[in-house]
Amino acid sequence: MSLRRLECTEQGNVPIGALINRHYGGSGPPLAGGNRSPQAGPNEAKRGPMDLYEALYTCRAMRRVRPDPVPLEVQARMLDAAIRAPTGGNAQTWHFLLVDDPAVKAQLGPLYRDSMDQLWKTVYAPRITAAAADPEHPDSIQFESVRRSAQHLADHFEDVPLFLFGFAQHDPSGGSIYPAVWSAQLAARAEGVGSALTVVLSVFHGPEAYEILGVPADQGWVMACCVSFGYPQGRWGVAPRRPVHEVSSRNRWDSPVGFEMVQPLWSRDVP
């Protein structure tokens, strides 16, 4: 089975970068304020419109980012892409709150770190114990790698240049805003900006965070997520995942999905 990259043709699908910004040669009026991104990322040269599948396959969590600010032009393209996403009943009862003020981050940082500390002591306590008991097991190695990355984000919360807090009104599931948030993350990927979505702050310190952010009370606003954004310290790449056929089925839960894929179908080498 093969999968060809999407090409920008009259009949084909338009790569995401061409859809969201004039930065890569698209059209649109100049935005007031902000500067063009000085580079696409620390390990990625600026180039033409990004292939859609490249954005999808390489948009993994990037928790280690540089403190360089994300230009307003880039932020505008991210959110303009976000609001094009579908929402339940097309109600668009969402709110995207960007945070880049050091004073606000200084208030949220301790709450986020305490949230992570509680998360390790509760939800992930069994996995931490299992990893300590058998540190050489592949699952333990993978878990500890993710744990270090997540803790790095907590420890350096105030150094992250930009956060997006996604709020949905009267929707505790987040289903009406997650597609939009993911669109923002894909748009950021096309700009060379990394991101990581978390919910831990709202779980353990929601009321305090709401107060700091000035969220109106008694209007049904629910914090669906907190997403960090910044130019990555590391490299982009396809994250290892369990194969599709191990986590999918067809028609019934215990029936095979009908195909098997050991390796990712997309790579930079796919023609």
Side-chain angles (χ1 to χ4, degrees):
M1 180 178 291
S2 64
L3 180 65
R4 296 185 62 86
R5 298 186 185 184
L6 299 183
E7 300 295 339
C8 183
T9 64
E10 292 182 358
Q11 292 79 25
N13 294 282
V14 181
I16 190 169
L19 292 173
I20 66 173
N21 63 79
R22 63 182 175 82
H23 180 59
Y24 289 124
S27 60
L31 296 172
N35 299 301
R36 289 178 179 270
S37 172
Q39 53 186 347
N43 300 299
E44 186 174 81
K46 194 187 299 183
R47 51 193 172 85
M50 177 170 288
D51 172 271
L52 175 58
Y53 275 99
E54 180 175 1
L56 288 167
Y57 271 70
T58 62
C59 193
R60 59 189 180 89
M62 300 295 260
R63 303 180 184 90
R64 301 175 186 268
V65 298
R66 297 156 45 197
D68 308 59
V70 178
L72 288 181
E73 275 193 337
V74 174
Q75 296 179 37
R77 288 190 287 268
M78 288 161 45
L79 289 193
D80 192 54
I83 64 171
R84 310 303 162 184
T87 182
N90 195 31
Q92 302 176 55
T93 50
W94 49 28
H95 187 85
F96 305 89
L97 200 164
L98 295 175
V99 171
D100 56 7
D101 186 339
V104 178
K105 291 188 289 183
Q107 295 180 72
L108 294 172
L111 298 179
Y112 189 89
R113 282 186 286 277
D114 183 72
S115 297
M116 289 302 302
D117 186 55
Q118 293 189 55
L119 186 71
W120 300 137
K121 293 177 179 177
T122 55
V123 177
Y124 284 105
R127 295 190 66 179
I128 292 174
T129 300
D134 188 3
E136 300 304 318
H137 192 281
D139 289 345
S140 299
I141 295 173
Q142 174 65 20
F143 171 73
E144 286 299 332
S145 175
V146 173
R147 184 186 177 198
R148 288 192 299 271
S149 177
Q151 189 60 49
H152 177 90
L153 175 58
D155 294 340
H156 297 270
F157 186 93
E158 292 86 345
D159 299 326
V160 174
L162 182 68
F163 287 96
L164 165 62
F165 290 86
F167 290 86
Q169 197 169 30
H170 306 299
D171 178 15
S173 73
S176 288
I177 195 171
Y178 281 137
V181 171
W182 182 234
S183 290
Q185 292 183 258
L186 286 174
R189 171 65 189 96
E191 301 276 357
V193 176
S195 63
L197 184 150
T198 71
V199 298
V200 67
L201 185 61
S202 62
V203 172
F204 292 103
H205 285 290
E208 299 99 311
Y210 282 38
E211 183 175 355
I212 292 170
L213 296 172
V215 181
D218 304 322
Q219 293 186 18
W221 290 108
V222 180
M223 184 192 297
C225 58
C226 164
V227 187
S228 58
F229 288 96
Y231 293 102
Q233 295 180 9
R235 290 182 174 274
W236 299 103
V238 179
R241 296 287 187 261
R242 291 176 59 189
V244 170
H245 59 272
E246 292 185 8
V247 297
S248 308
S249 59
R250 189 183 303 274
N251 298 321
R252 288 182 58 84
W253 186 274
D254 56 355
S255 298
V257 71
F259 45 77
E260 293 189 5
M261 295 168 291
V262 178
Q263 299 295 329
L265 294 183
W266 181 92
S267 74
R268 292 185 185 276
D269 298 327
V270 174

